[in-house]
Amino acid sequence: METIFSGVQPSGALHLGNYLGAIKNWVELQNQHRSVFCVVDLHALTVPQDPKTFREKILSIAKIYLAAGIDPEKSIIFIQSHVKEHAELCWILNTISRIPELERMTQFKEKAERHKKDLNMGLFDYPVLMAADILLYKTNAVPVGEDQIQHVELARTLAERFNNYFGETFVIPKAFVRKEGARIMGLDDPSKKMSKSAPSAANYITLTDSPEIIREKIKKAVTDSGKEIIFNPIEKPAIANLLTIYSLASGRLIEDLQKQYANAAGYAEFKNDLSEAVVEFLRPLQEKLKELDSNEDVMLKILNDGAQKARQIASQTMKEVKDKIGLI
Ligand code: AQP
Protein backbone atom coordinates (compact mmCIF):
# COMPACT_ATOMS: atom_id res chain seq x y z
CA MET A 1 0.00 0.00 0.00
CA GLU A 2 1.41 3.39 -0.98
CA THR A 3 1.83 6.11 1.64
CA ILE A 4 0.43 9.62 1.37
CA PHE A 5 1.41 12.49 3.63
CA SER A 6 0.03 16.01 3.78
CA GLY A 7 -0.51 18.84 6.22
CA VAL A 8 -1.96 22.27 6.79
CA GLN A 9 -0.34 25.01 8.82
CA PRO A 10 -2.39 26.66 11.59
CA SER A 11 -1.63 30.12 10.32
CA GLY A 12 -5.25 31.27 10.23
CA ALA A 13 -8.77 30.09 9.54
CA LEU A 14 -8.94 27.44 6.82
CA HIS A 15 -10.60 28.57 3.62
CA LEU A 16 -12.34 27.02 0.64
CA GLY A 17 -9.00 26.81 -1.23
CA ASN A 18 -7.42 24.67 1.51
CA TYR A 19 -10.48 22.46 1.55
CA LEU A 20 -11.04 22.05 -2.20
CA GLY A 21 -7.34 21.95 -3.10
CA ALA A 22 -6.23 19.58 -0.35
CA ILE A 23 -8.38 18.23 2.49
CA LYS A 24 -11.36 17.11 0.37
CA ASN A 25 -9.00 14.91 -1.67
CA TRP A 26 -7.41 13.39 1.43
CA VAL A 27 -10.80 12.08 2.55
CA GLU A 28 -11.10 10.05 -0.65
CA LEU A 29 -7.46 8.98 -0.77
CA GLN A 30 -7.38 7.63 2.81
CA ASN A 31 -9.36 4.58 1.67
CA GLN A 32 -6.63 3.29 -0.66
CA HIS A 33 -3.45 4.53 1.07
CA ARG A 34 -1.54 4.39 4.30
CA SER A 35 -2.35 8.00 5.19
CA VAL A 36 -0.53 10.42 7.44
CA PHE A 37 -2.06 13.87 8.04
CA CYS A 38 -0.32 16.43 10.15
CA VAL A 39 -1.13 19.83 11.63
CA VAL A 40 2.15 21.53 10.79
CA ASP A 41 2.39 23.91 13.72
CA LEU A 42 6.16 24.44 13.40
CA HIS A 43 5.58 25.76 9.89
CA ALA A 44 3.08 28.32 11.16
CA LEU A 45 5.78 29.78 13.44
CA THR A 46 7.55 31.15 10.38
CA VAL A 47 5.20 34.13 10.62
CA PRO A 48 4.37 35.79 13.96
CA GLN A 49 1.76 33.91 16.05
CA ASP A 50 0.03 35.13 19.19
CA PRO A 51 0.80 32.56 21.95
CA LYS A 52 -2.62 33.29 23.47
CA THR A 53 -4.52 32.07 20.42
CA PHE A 54 -2.03 29.66 18.86
CA ARG A 55 -3.26 26.61 20.79
CA GLU A 56 -6.83 27.18 19.58
CA LYS A 57 -5.64 27.66 16.02
CA ILE A 58 -3.74 24.36 16.12
CA LEU A 59 -6.71 22.46 17.54
CA SER A 60 -9.09 24.08 15.05
CA ILE A 61 -7.17 22.53 12.15
CA ALA A 62 -7.34 19.08 13.74
CA LYS A 63 -11.08 19.57 14.24
CA ILE A 64 -11.50 20.41 10.58
CA TYR A 65 -9.63 17.25 9.56
CA LEU A 66 -12.08 15.19 11.61
CA ALA A 67 -15.18 17.14 10.58
CA ALA A 68 -14.19 16.82 6.92
CA GLY A 69 -14.15 13.04 7.27
CA ILE A 70 -10.54 12.09 7.97
CA ASP A 71 -11.03 8.90 9.93
CA PRO A 72 -8.54 8.23 12.76
CA GLU A 73 -9.20 4.49 12.29
CA LYS A 74 -7.85 4.73 8.75
CA SER A 75 -5.39 7.63 8.95
CA ILE A 76 -2.72 8.87 11.32
CA ILE A 77 -3.62 12.39 12.50
CA PHE A 78 -1.15 14.27 14.66
CA ILE A 79 0.55 17.56 15.49
CA GLN A 80 3.98 18.09 13.93
CA SER A 81 5.72 19.38 17.07
CA HIS A 82 4.72 16.19 18.94
CA VAL A 83 7.14 14.22 16.78
CA LYS A 84 10.62 15.67 17.29
CA GLU A 85 12.05 13.77 14.32
CA HIS A 86 10.58 16.43 11.96
CA ALA A 87 12.94 19.08 13.31
CA GLU A 88 15.81 16.58 13.56
CA LEU A 89 15.58 15.44 9.94
CA CYS A 90 15.14 19.05 8.84
CA TRP A 91 18.57 19.83 10.30
CA ILE A 92 20.20 16.92 8.46
CA LEU A 93 18.52 17.92 5.19
CA ASN A 94 19.68 21.52 5.72
CA THR A 95 23.22 20.26 5.38
CA ILE A 96 22.55 18.99 1.86
CA SER A 97 20.26 21.85 0.75
CA ARG A 98 21.71 24.62 -1.38
CA ILE A 99 20.95 28.26 -0.71
CA PRO A 100 20.20 29.16 -4.38
CA GLU A 101 17.58 26.40 -4.63
CA LEU A 102 15.79 27.82 -1.58
CA GLU A 103 16.10 31.38 -2.87
CA ARG A 104 14.17 30.29 -5.96
CA MET A 105 11.06 29.27 -3.99
CA THR A 106 8.06 31.36 -5.06
CA GLN A 107 6.36 31.21 -1.67
CA PHE A 108 9.52 32.42 0.07
CA LYS A 109 9.87 35.31 -2.38
CA GLU A 110 6.22 36.34 -1.87
CA LYS A 111 6.29 36.03 1.91
CA ALA A 112 9.71 37.71 2.19
CA GLU A 113 8.16 40.68 0.41
CA ARG A 114 5.25 40.75 2.91
CA HIS A 115 7.46 40.27 6.00
CA LYS A 116 10.37 42.53 5.10
CA LYS A 117 10.74 43.79 8.66
CA ASP A 118 10.61 40.42 10.42
CA LEU A 119 12.03 38.13 7.75
CA ASN A 120 13.29 35.11 9.67
CA MET A 121 15.38 32.03 8.89
CA GLY A 122 12.37 29.77 9.37
CA LEU A 123 10.59 31.30 6.42
CA PHE A 124 13.63 30.59 4.25
CA ASP A 125 13.96 27.05 5.60
CA TYR A 126 10.23 26.23 5.37
CA PRO A 127 10.62 23.98 2.29
CA VAL A 128 13.37 21.92 3.95
CA LEU A 129 11.17 21.29 7.01
CA MET A 130 8.41 20.31 4.60
CA ALA A 131 10.79 17.89 2.86
CA ALA A 132 11.56 16.36 6.27
CA ASP A 133 7.82 15.99 6.99
CA ILE A 134 7.33 14.12 3.74
CA LEU A 135 10.47 11.96 3.71
CA LEU A 136 10.17 10.75 7.32
CA TYR A 137 7.15 8.63 6.38
CA LYS A 138 8.66 7.18 3.15
CA THR A 139 5.85 8.99 1.39
CA ASN A 140 4.96 8.08 -2.20
CA ALA A 141 2.49 10.88 -2.91
CA VAL A 142 1.72 14.29 -1.40
CA PRO A 143 -1.82 15.51 -2.10
CA VAL A 144 -1.56 19.31 -2.23
CA GLY A 145 -2.81 22.37 -4.06
CA GLU A 146 -0.83 23.79 -6.97
CA ASP A 147 1.10 26.30 -4.84
CA GLN A 148 2.94 23.50 -3.07
CA ILE A 149 4.23 21.65 -6.15
CA GLN A 150 7.55 23.49 -6.06
CA HIS A 151 8.11 22.45 -2.44
CA VAL A 152 7.36 18.80 -3.20
CA GLU A 153 9.85 19.03 -6.09
CA LEU A 154 12.48 20.14 -3.57
CA ALA A 155 11.64 17.16 -1.36
CA ARG A 156 12.27 14.92 -4.39
CA THR A 157 15.59 16.63 -5.09
CA LEU A 158 16.74 16.26 -1.47
CA ALA A 159 15.65 12.62 -1.31
CA GLU A 160 17.57 11.83 -4.50
CA ARG A 161 20.62 13.76 -3.29
CA PHE A 162 20.64 12.02 0.08
CA ASN A 163 20.26 8.61 -1.57
CA ASN A 164 23.13 9.42 -3.94
CA TYR A 165 25.46 10.57 -1.15
CA PHE A 166 24.65 7.96 1.48
CA GLY A 167 22.85 5.07 -0.22
CA GLU A 168 19.22 4.19 -0.84
CA THR A 169 17.18 5.54 2.10
CA PHE A 170 14.23 7.67 1.05
CA VAL A 171 11.33 6.98 -1.25
CA ILE A 172 11.16 9.65 -3.96
CA PRO A 173 7.80 11.38 -3.42
CA LYS A 174 5.58 12.96 -6.04
CA ALA A 175 2.97 15.69 -5.77
CA PHE A 176 -0.62 14.60 -6.27
CA VAL A 177 -2.62 17.54 -7.58
CA ARG A 178 -6.24 17.29 -8.74
CA LYS A 179 -6.93 19.57 -11.69
CA GLU A 180 -10.19 20.92 -10.26
CA GLY A 181 -9.73 23.19 -7.26
CA ALA A 182 -5.92 23.02 -7.30
CA ARG A 183 -5.73 26.81 -7.29
CA ILE A 184 -8.73 28.70 -5.95
CA MET A 185 -8.14 32.41 -6.39
CA GLY A 186 -8.83 35.30 -4.03
CA LEU A 187 -12.36 36.75 -4.18
CA ASP A 188 -10.95 40.27 -3.98
CA ASP A 189 -8.12 39.65 -6.45
CA PRO A 190 -8.38 36.73 -8.89
CA SER A 191 -4.75 37.15 -9.93
CA LYS A 192 -3.57 35.79 -6.56
CA LYS A 193 -4.48 32.53 -4.82
CA MET A 194 -6.94 32.51 -1.93
CA SER A 195 -4.74 32.64 1.15
CA LYS A 196 -5.24 32.46 4.93
CA SER A 197 -2.78 35.26 5.50
CA ALA A 198 -4.21 37.60 2.85
CA PRO A 199 -4.41 41.13 4.23
CA SER A 200 -8.20 41.34 3.77
CA ALA A 201 -10.90 38.88 4.90
CA ALA A 202 -12.68 39.69 1.62
CA ASN A 203 -10.05 37.47 -0.04
CA TYR A 204 -11.40 34.19 1.30
CA ILE A 205 -14.40 32.23 2.52
CA THR A 206 -13.41 30.40 5.67
CA LEU A 207 -14.89 26.99 6.44
CA THR A 208 -16.58 28.50 9.51
CA ASP A 209 -18.03 31.63 7.91
CA SER A 210 -21.75 31.99 8.66
CA PRO A 211 -24.27 31.93 5.77
CA GLU A 212 -24.66 35.72 6.10
CA ILE A 213 -20.93 36.33 5.79
CA ILE A 214 -20.65 33.91 2.86
CA ARG A 215 -23.45 35.77 1.03
CA GLU A 216 -21.88 39.13 1.78
CA LYS A 217 -18.39 38.06 0.63
CA ILE A 218 -19.69 36.55 -2.62
CA LYS A 219 -21.81 39.63 -3.26
CA LYS A 220 -18.69 41.78 -2.94
CA ALA A 221 -16.43 39.41 -4.89
CA VAL A 222 -14.81 41.23 -7.81
CA THR A 223 -16.06 40.36 -11.29
CA ASP A 224 -14.72 40.99 -14.79
CA SER A 225 -15.82 43.54 -17.33
CA GLY A 226 -18.75 42.45 -19.51
CA LYS A 227 -21.74 40.43 -18.39
CA GLU A 228 -21.12 36.97 -19.81
CA ILE A 229 -20.80 34.08 -17.42
CA ILE A 230 -18.26 31.99 -19.25
CA PHE A 231 -15.25 29.96 -18.17
CA ASN A 232 -12.23 31.80 -19.54
CA PRO A 233 -9.43 32.01 -16.95
CA ILE A 234 -7.34 34.35 -19.13
CA GLU A 235 -9.95 36.92 -20.13
CA LYS A 236 -12.39 36.43 -17.24
CA PRO A 237 -10.33 35.19 -14.30
CA ALA A 238 -12.80 36.32 -11.63
CA ILE A 239 -15.82 34.60 -13.20
CA ALA A 240 -13.74 31.50 -14.03
CA ASN A 241 -12.81 31.29 -10.35
CA LEU A 242 -16.42 31.72 -9.19
CA LEU A 243 -17.56 29.08 -11.69
CA THR A 244 -14.91 26.67 -10.38
CA ILE A 245 -16.07 27.20 -6.79
CA TYR A 246 -19.71 26.82 -7.85
CA SER A 247 -18.99 23.61 -9.74
CA LEU A 248 -17.05 22.02 -6.87
CA ALA A 249 -19.54 23.13 -4.22
CA SER A 250 -22.59 21.93 -6.17
CA GLY A 251 -21.11 18.90 -7.92
CA ARG A 252 -22.36 20.31 -11.26
CA LEU A 253 -20.32 20.59 -14.44
CA ILE A 254 -19.01 24.03 -15.43
CA GLU A 255 -20.63 23.58 -18.89
CA ASP A 256 -24.04 23.11 -17.25
CA LEU A 257 -23.59 26.24 -15.18
CA GLN A 258 -22.53 28.24 -18.25
CA LYS A 259 -25.69 27.08 -20.05
CA GLN A 260 -27.92 27.95 -17.08
CA TYR A 261 -26.65 31.55 -16.97
CA ALA A 262 -26.18 32.06 -20.72
CA ASN A 263 -28.99 34.65 -20.87
CA ALA A 264 -28.46 36.24 -17.47
CA ALA A 265 -28.78 40.02 -17.46
CA GLY A 266 -25.93 40.44 -14.97
CA TYR A 267 -24.11 38.72 -12.17
CA ALA A 268 -26.70 39.09 -9.39
CA GLU A 269 -28.64 35.85 -9.88
CA PHE A 270 -25.46 33.86 -10.50
CA LYS A 271 -23.90 35.21 -7.31
CA ASN A 272 -27.05 34.49 -5.27
CA ASP A 273 -27.18 30.88 -6.46
CA LEU A 274 -23.45 30.46 -5.92
CA SER A 275 -23.81 31.74 -2.34
CA GLU A 276 -26.53 29.20 -1.58
CA ALA A 277 -24.46 26.39 -3.13
CA VAL A 278 -21.49 27.29 -0.90
CA VAL A 279 -23.69 27.62 2.21
CA GLU A 280 -25.18 24.16 1.59
CA PHE A 281 -21.79 22.67 0.75
CA LEU A 282 -20.30 23.82 4.07
CA ARG A 283 -23.35 23.05 6.21
CA PRO A 284 -22.53 19.38 7.07
CA LEU A 285 -18.92 20.25 7.89
CA GLN A 286 -20.00 23.15 10.10
CA GLU A 287 -22.49 20.92 11.95
CA LYS A 288 -19.81 18.32 12.65
CA LEU A 289 -17.47 21.05 13.87
CA LYS A 290 -20.05 22.11 16.44
CA GLU A 291 -20.27 18.53 17.74
CA LEU A 292 -16.49 18.37 18.08
CA ASP A 293 -16.40 21.64 20.02
CA SER A 294 -17.92 19.89 23.00
CA ASN A 295 -15.57 16.92 22.65
CA GLU A 296 -12.07 18.30 23.05
CA ASP A 297 -10.86 15.40 25.20
CA VAL A 298 -11.71 12.89 22.50
CA MET A 299 -9.84 14.98 19.98
CA LEU A 300 -6.76 15.29 22.18
CA LYS A 301 -6.74 11.52 22.58
CA ILE A 302 -6.90 11.05 18.80
CA LEU A 303 -3.95 13.44 18.39
CA ASN A 304 -2.01 11.68 21.13
CA ASP A 305 -2.58 8.24 19.60
CA GLY A 306 -1.72 9.64 16.18
CA ALA A 307 1.57 11.08 17.46
CA GLN A 308 2.52 7.71 18.93
CA LYS A 309 1.93 5.95 15.62
CA ALA A 310 3.77 8.68 13.70
CA ARG A 311 6.71 8.51 16.13
CA GLN A 312 7.13 4.78 15.50
CA ILE A 313 7.60 5.34 11.77
CA ALA A 314 9.59 8.56 12.11
CA SER A 315 12.04 7.20 14.69
CA GLN A 316 12.73 4.18 12.50
CA THR A 317 13.53 6.43 9.54
CA MET A 318 15.75 8.67 11.68
CA LYS A 319 17.67 5.66 12.94
CA GLU A 320 18.31 4.63 9.35
CA VAL A 321 19.36 8.17 8.41
CA LYS A 322 21.76 8.44 11.35
CA ASP A 323 23.32 5.06 10.56
CA LYS A 324 23.77 6.04 6.92
CA ILE A 325 25.57 9.31 7.71
CA GLY A 326 27.77 7.80 10.41
CA LEU A 327 26.29 9.40 13.52
CA ILE A 328 26.78 7.36 16.67
N1 AQP B 1 -5.95 28.93 -2.97
C1 AQP B 1 -5.75 27.64 -2.89
N2 AQP B 1 -6.33 26.79 -3.77
C2 AQP B 1 -6.13 25.45 -3.67
N3 AQP B 1 -5.35 24.88 -2.71
C3 AQP B 1 -4.76 25.69 -1.82
N4 AQP B 1 -3.97 25.45 -0.76
C4 AQP B 1 -3.64 26.62 -0.17
N5 AQP B 1 -4.22 27.63 -0.82
C5 AQP B 1 -4.92 27.09 -1.85
C6 AQP B 1 -3.55 24.12 -0.32
O1 AQP B 1 -3.97 23.96 1.02
C7 AQP B 1 -3.03 23.10 1.69
C8 AQP B 1 -2.65 23.69 3.00
O2 AQP B 1 -1.93 24.89 2.81
P1 AQP B 1 -0.98 25.43 3.96
O3 AQP B 1 -1.78 25.78 5.13
O4 AQP B 1 0.07 24.46 4.25
O5 AQP B 1 -0.28 26.70 3.42
P2 AQP B 1 -0.39 27.50 2.11
O6 AQP B 1 -0.27 26.63 0.92
O7 AQP B 1 0.61 28.58 2.21
O8 AQP B 1 -1.90 28.04 2.22
P3 AQP B 1 -2.41 29.47 2.55
O9 AQP B 1 -3.86 29.38 2.78
O10 AQP B 1 -1.95 30.43 1.53
O11 AQP B 1 -1.75 29.80 3.95
P4 AQP B 1 -0.80 30.99 4.31
O12 AQP B 1 -1.52 32.23 3.87
O13 AQP B 1 -0.66 30.89 5.79
O14 AQP B 1 0.48 30.79 3.60
C9 AQP B 1 -1.86 22.91 0.74
O15 AQP B 1 -1.97 21.64 0.13
C10 AQP B 1 -2.04 23.99 -0.28
O16 AQP B 1 -1.51 23.64 -1.54
Side-chain angles (χ1 to χ4, degrees), residues 60-249:
S60 75
I61 306 289
K63 272 184 210 160
I64 284 179
Y65 287 2
L66 295 174
I70 306 290
D71 179 352
E73 299 289 321
K74 294 179 187 165
S75 303
I76 300 177
I77 308 173
F78 71 105
I79 296 174
Q80 184 186 33
S81 63
H82 290 182
V83 180
K84 64 177 173 34
E85 283 80 3
H86 288 250
E88 207 176 358
L89 182 59
C90 174
W91 180 256
I92 307 277
L93 294 178
N94 273 334
T95 65
I96 61 162
S97 301
R98 293 173 188 150
I99 287 175
E101 61 198 356
L102 294 180
E103 280 172 336
R104 274 199 296 274
M105 294 291 141
T106 310
Q107 193 180 75
F108 169 69
K109 287 194 269 188
E110 281 171 8
K111 290 201 174 169
E113 192 57 37
R114 256 192 269 159
H115 295 275
K116 268 188 191 140
K117 285 201 190 108
D118 51 5
L119 185 55
N120 63 70
M121 267 304 295
L123 206 51
F124 187 61
D125 206 28
Y126 182 112
V128 183
L129 178 58
M130 180 165 156
D133 301 338
I134 296 166
L135 301 184
L136 269 181
Y137 300 95
K138 308 271 171 121
T139 302
N140 302 91
V142 191
V144 281
E146 213 176 83
D147 63 310
Q148 292 294 340
I149 294 177
Q150 199 184 25
H151 291 164
V152 180
E153 290 293 324
L154 181 80
R156 285 175 69 86
T157 304
L158 295 180
E160 279 165 0
R161 193 173 295 154
F162 188 97
N163 290 354
N164 282 338
Y165 288 170
F166 303 109
E168 212 54 30
T169 309
F170 294 121
V171 170
I172 311 300
K174 55 184 183 302
F176 176 89
V177 182
R178 283 251 162 83
K179 204 169 135 239
E180 305 77 22
R183 194 172 177 79
I184 301 293
M185 310 309 279
L187 297 182
D188 59 346
D189 179 359
S191 70
K192 295 203 179 88
K193 71 165 192 138
M194 190 175 276
S195 183
K196 289 185 222 99
S197 50
S200 161
N203 170 273
Y204 46 73
I205 292 176
T206 77
L207 301 183
T208 49
D209 276 346
S210 67
E212 295 70 38
I213 291 184
I214 293 172
R215 290 182 191 115
E216 202 180 305
K217 284 184 177 175
I218 291 180
K219 201 170 175 189
K220 285 194 187 140
V222 301
T223 46
D224 309 293
S225 53
K227 285 181 182 164
E228 308 86 358
I229 295 169
I230 47 167
F231 187 79
N232 184 336
I234 307 289
E235 284 173 25
K236 287 185 147 269
I239 293 298
N241 188 41
L242 295 180
L243 275 168
T244 302
I245 295 174
Y246 197 163
S247 165
L248 290 165

